[in-house]
Amino acid sequence: MRILVTGGLGFIGRRVVLSALEGLHTVRLLDRVPTLPSNSPVEVVEGNVTNPEAVDVALEDIDVVCHQAAKVGLGVDMQDMPEYVADNDYGTAVLLAGMARHGIDRLVLASSMVIYGEGRYDCAEHGRQPAPPRTAEALSAGQFDPTCPVCNEPLTPGLVDEDSPFDPRNAYASSKIAQEHLTTTWAHQTGGRAIALRYHNVYGPGMPRDTPYAGVASIFRSGLIRGEAPTVFEDGQQRRDFVHVDDVARANIASINAVTRDTTVPFQAFNVGSGEVRTVHDMASALADALDGPAPVVTGQYRLGDVRHITADSSLLRRELGWRPEISFADGMRELAVESTQG
């Protein structure tokens, strides 16, 4: 099979390329900064998905596209919105138009759990309830968990499934929803087949350092290398699902195989998570222990707009595509520590 991976030199894209090669596929990648060695078995097209000419070159004789290229991070303020829309939404539109020109009707799209905003919550008396936005007043008073909008009692967090409503809280989240909608339109109009993978907190080898877009694991790790204790916001009990990048890559390969053999459903979304609910404090403590560093410091600080809990129900991906995560949280944290000491 001939696969195009956009953003194939990024953190996740690079691992998807390696997994595709292990499956004996022919791989081409489109990336704006090609840095592969000259003897690499991967064909590289230099360019951006926003450039129709580069996209046309990259799509020549391709069977299926794995679209990883995107501007990531949560953004700082409203002034970031045009850039997210340009890179993520316009870039996806250019890619989909190119696929239609080339008669390519199979796509795997990298989406994100950020589209859900807060996760699932239940009230003991009133059942499933949307979590209202947290206020600066409540956060300053140390009231971090959202409360029921009906009775104001604490809500119990649960796992979010693919049928949960969208609740975008930043430009990145809005752009990922738009990517899914554009892909759905493409699938219906062309008869194509697409799978969107909604990644949860991805970590692993090659994770960028010292940038807010790299995720909390990278920030904690970088600080520990400098001998600094991880500083954990709120009370550290924010629930997350940390999934290893190699498991994410395997989910992409499973999805590539699925879209090429199944033509019955134009568009389907899957959560990609480890199934292990962990807290941010768990992550900081595991890295501190693995690096023999200082214990995490819980600061009580907060960022208005951060979500409290978001964890995945990935059972649909397991059931439909037979995917299983293979790397445990403990093993993944130890691997990060080893990479830190060797890097």
Side-chain angles (χ1 to χ4, degrees), residues 4 29 46 57 79 96 143 231 269 301 327:
L4 171 67
L29 64 85
E46 181 176 0
V57 172
Q79 302 312 307
L96 294 172
Q143 299 171 5
T231 56
Q301 294 174 274
I327 301 173

Side-chain angles (χ1 to χ4, degrees), residues 305-316:
D306 279 0
V307 298
R308 177 61 173 173
H309 303 298
I310 176 70
T311 49
D313 179 352
S314 299
S315 60
L316 184 64

Side-chain angles (χ1 to χ4, degrees), residues 100-120:
R101 287 193 300 275
H102 287 261
I104 301 168
D105 61 356
R106 297 293 182 265
L107 173 68
V108 175
L109 171 69
S111 188
S112 174
M113 56 85 181
V114 298
I115 65 176
Y116 299 121
E118 285 281 358
R120 169 187 167 177

Side-chain angles (χ1 to χ4, degrees), residues 106 193 253-254 256-264 320-322:
R106 297 293 182 265
R193 169 84 164 101
I253 300 305
I256 288 169
N257 292 333
V259 295
T260 56
R261 67 172 179 259
D262 181 11
T263 61
T264 58
E320 297 271 335
L321 302 190

Side-chain angles (χ1 to χ4, degrees), residues 67 284 318:
H67 184 28
R318 298 177 187 226

Side-chain angles (χ1 to χ4, degrees), residues 206-291:
M207 187 169 53
R209 298 185 182 186
D210 298 313
T211 122
Y213 304 140
V216 69
S218 179
I219 295 170
F220 288 161
R221 182 185 65 174
S222 297
L224 284 162
I225 293 169
R226 298 190 297 268
E228 302 167 2
T231 56
V232 180
F233 279 20
E234 301 185 18
D235 58 359
Q237 297 308 301
Q238 306 94 310
R239 291 160 51 112
R240 298 291 186 268
D241 186 322
F242 299 103
V243 59
H244 195 278
V245 66
D246 287 342
D247 285 330
V248 171
R250 282 187 281 270
N252 275 274
I253 300 305
S255 299
I256 288 169
N257 292 333
V259 295
T260 56
R261 67 172 179 259
D262 181 11
T263 61
T264 58
V265 180
F267 177 87
Q268 190 167 16
F270 295 103
N271 288 332
V272 185
S274 69
E276 296 184 60
V277 176
R278 299 286 178 173
T279 67
V280 173
H281 193 274
D282 289 339
M283 164 72 79
S285 297
L287 285 173
D289 290 345
L291 288 166

